[in-house]
Amino acid sequence: MLSLCHGFLLTNKTGISSVGTPALTDSHYLILTDALGVQKQLLSQMETFVLRLQNELKTVNQEVKDLKSGNSAGHSFAIVELKNETSELREKSAQLQKSYDVLQKKFDTIQNENNVLKHDNVALKVQMSNWNNFSVLINQKLNSFTHSIAASNIQNVTTIQSSVDTLKSQVKILNTRFSSLSWTSTSRGQDFLALLDKSNVADLKLETFEQNYALDGNSTKDRFQSLEQNFTSLSSEIRTLKGKVQDMNQPVALTSCISSSVDYRKGQIIKFPVTKTSIGINNVTEFHTTGTFTCETSGVYLLAVHIANSGNSNAVFALYKNSKVISYVMIVYGTHSTDYNSGSGTVVVAMKA
């Protein structure tokens, strides 16, 4: 608004201008009138804007009041629902507490019964173990007694059967001869009588043998037990001998070499890390890493070593057994015109595992 006004001052009344000062003109009044009109227009717009703001403020206040009244009703409803739910939860909690108390009593009862059952179970296990041991002992005694009686009876029956068969064959022979002699009773009377006597003697021996068998049962049983003990001892010795024979018959062989040339100095152990053949040896890895062969099966071993040397001087290698030299081998330089000269050593050594 002020940008439209020019700077001038108005006195409290319009009068004649002072001497030397120009008087106010109509243009001055027009300008002032225009400025006042613009000011009135702006004031009118401001009043309209203020009225609109007041209406909006009233609307907002009303909405705030409505919201407050609505929130209070909603809160009251929510509080009532929460109170109801709290009451229900309290009732359920009380019921759960009662159920928990009942379950706790049942659990205590079951725990006591379980402890009693555990104690009874331990006692039953002890009794079962005792009965099992007793049963095993009885079975062992029965098996031993059965085997001894069965073997004794078999041995005795076999012996008796053999004797009976022998006597039967003798009786058959005598009967045959008796039949043949009956045809010539006249000329062979004396022979018939002699054969008849032999038949009577054989029958008597058979009866005597059966009586002796009945009387000598105990002595036969004792002899059988002695034989059974001897048989057990012999079986143990036979098993031991079989094991030794099996160990002696177990072949042992090892062939190893190196993959490329290696430089060695005096006192070093030559290693052969590449195995071509391995039979009857369990720990070949130790031989690869240390160069020392450890005997696993006692016996007589044939050791053969072949080494080629490249150089302009002689070389020597040795075979050791338990830190003692058993053979030296020299590789002589200049024996042949090639760059490599070789030497071989072969020994037979008795080794123990």
Side-chain angles (χ1 to χ4, degrees):
M1 291 188 301
L2 296 178
S3 62
L4 298 177
C5 299
H6 296 281
F8 64 91
L9 292 174
L10 296 177
T11 60
N12 55 2
K13 66 180 180 177
T14 302
I16 300 172
S17 63
S18 301
V19 179
T21 303
L24 295 174
T25 62
D26 293 335
S27 61
H28 291 151
Y29 288 105
L30 292 174
I31 292 171
L32 180 59
T33 302
D34 294 335
L36 291 173
V38 172
Q39 183 178 7
K40 288 180 179 181
Q41 186 180 0
L42 294 173
L43 288 173
S44 178
Q45 292 178 356
M46 185 179 296
E47 288 176 356
T48 304
F49 180 74
V50 169
L51 291 174
R52 190 176 64 185
L53 288 176
Q54 288 178 351
N55 293 328
E56 291 179 356
L57 180 60
K58 290 179 180 180
T59 303
V60 170
N61 290 329
Q62 185 65 31
E63 290 177 354
V64 169
K65 290 180 180 180
D66 295 337
L67 289 173
K68 286 182 177 180
S69 62
N71 289 335
S72 298
H75 289 163
S76 299
F77 181 74
I79 290 171
V80 171
E81 289 183 347
L82 289 174
K83 288 182 178 179
N84 294 331
E85 291 177 357
T86 302
S87 299
E88 293 177 358
L89 289 174
R90 286 178 179 175
E91 292 177 358
K92 290 182 179 179
S93 176
Q95 293 177 358
L96 290 174
Q97 184 65 35
K98 293 179 181 178
S99 300
Y100 175 78
D101 295 335
V102 174
L103 291 175
Q104 184 66 34
K105 292 179 180 179
K106 291 182 178 180
F107 176 77
D108 294 336
T109 304
I110 293 172
Q111 187 70 25
N112 295 329
E113 293 177 354
N114 186 31
N115 293 331
V116 175
L117 290 175
K118 285 183 178 179
H119 183 269
D120 294 338
N121 188 25
V122 171
L124 287 174
K125 285 184 178 180
V126 173
Q127 291 180 359
M128 289 177 65
S129 178
N130 294 332
W131 281 109
N132 189 21
N133 295 331
F134 181 75
S135 177
V136 171
L137 181 62
I138 293 298
N139 287 331
Q140 291 177 353
K141 290 183 178 180
L142 286 175
N143 291 331
S144 176
F145 179 77
T146 302
H147 291 163
S148 61
I149 295 300
S152 177
N153 292 335
I154 291 172
Q155 183 70 23
N156 294 332
V157 170
T158 303
T159 305
I160 293 171
Q161 188 66 36
S162 177
S163 301
V164 170
D165 292 338
T166 302
L167 291 174
K168 285 182 178 180
S169 62
Q170 292 179 358
V171 170
K172 287 181 179 180
I173 294 172
L174 291 174
N175 290 331
T176 302
R177 294 183 64 182
F178 175 76
S179 298
S180 62
L181 289 173
S182 63
W183 294 96
T184 57
S185 57
T186 304
S187 59
R188 301 290 181 85
Q190 296 297 326
D191 293 335
F192 170 76
L193 294 175
L195 290 174
L196 185 59
D197 293 335
K198 289 182 178 180
S199 178
N200 293 329
V201 171
D203 291 338
L204 181 60
K205 287 182 178 180
L206 179 60
E207 293 177 357
T208 304
F209 180 79
E210 291 178 350
Q211 294 176 357
N212 292 333
Y213 169 72
L215 295 175
D216 296 338
N218 294 329
S219 60
T220 303
K221 183 177 179 180
D222 295 337
R223 283 182 292 176
F224 174 77
Q225 290 179 352
S226 177
L227 290 173
E228 187 177 14
Q229 293 177 356
N230 293 333
F231 176 76
T232 303
S233 177
L234 289 174
S235 297
S236 177
E237 293 179 1
I238 289 172
R239 285 194 296 270
T240 303
L241 291 174
K242 283 183 178 180
K244 291 182 179 179
V245 170
Q246 185 176 1
D247 293 338
M248 294 175 65
N249 292 331
Q250 176 67 33
V252 177
L254 176 64
T255 302
S256 296
C257 60
I258 62 174
S259 59
S260 61
S261 298
V262 182
D263 293 332
Y264 283 98
R265 298 181 182 276
K266 182 178 180 180
Q268 292 182 330
I269 299 177
I270 301 175
K271 301 176 183 178
F272 302 93
V274 181
T275 295
K276 301 295 184 180
T277 303
S278 177
I279 301 173
I281 299 175
N282 296 322
N283 194 1
V284 182
T285 304
E286 182 182 3
F287 176 69
H288 290 169
T289 55
T290 63
T292 301
F293 172 75
T294 301
C295 179
E296 298 176 1
T297 303
S298 302
V300 178
Y301 284 75
L302 175 66
L303 308 179
V305 183
H306 175 82
I307 295 178
N309 177 43
S310 175
N312 56 3
S313 61
N314 297 336
V316 177
F317 68 90
L319 279 73
Y320 284 78
K321 175 187 176 183
N322 297 334
S323 301
K324 294 182 180 180
V325 179
I326 56 176
S327 177
Y328 281 107
V329 178
M330 177 175 288
I331 304 173
V332 180
Y333 168 71
T335 304
H336 302 287
S337 59
T338 60
D339 294 335
Y340 285 90
N341 301 284
S342 62
S344 300
T346 303
V347 294
V348 176
V349 183
M351 290 192 291
K352 296 181 180 180

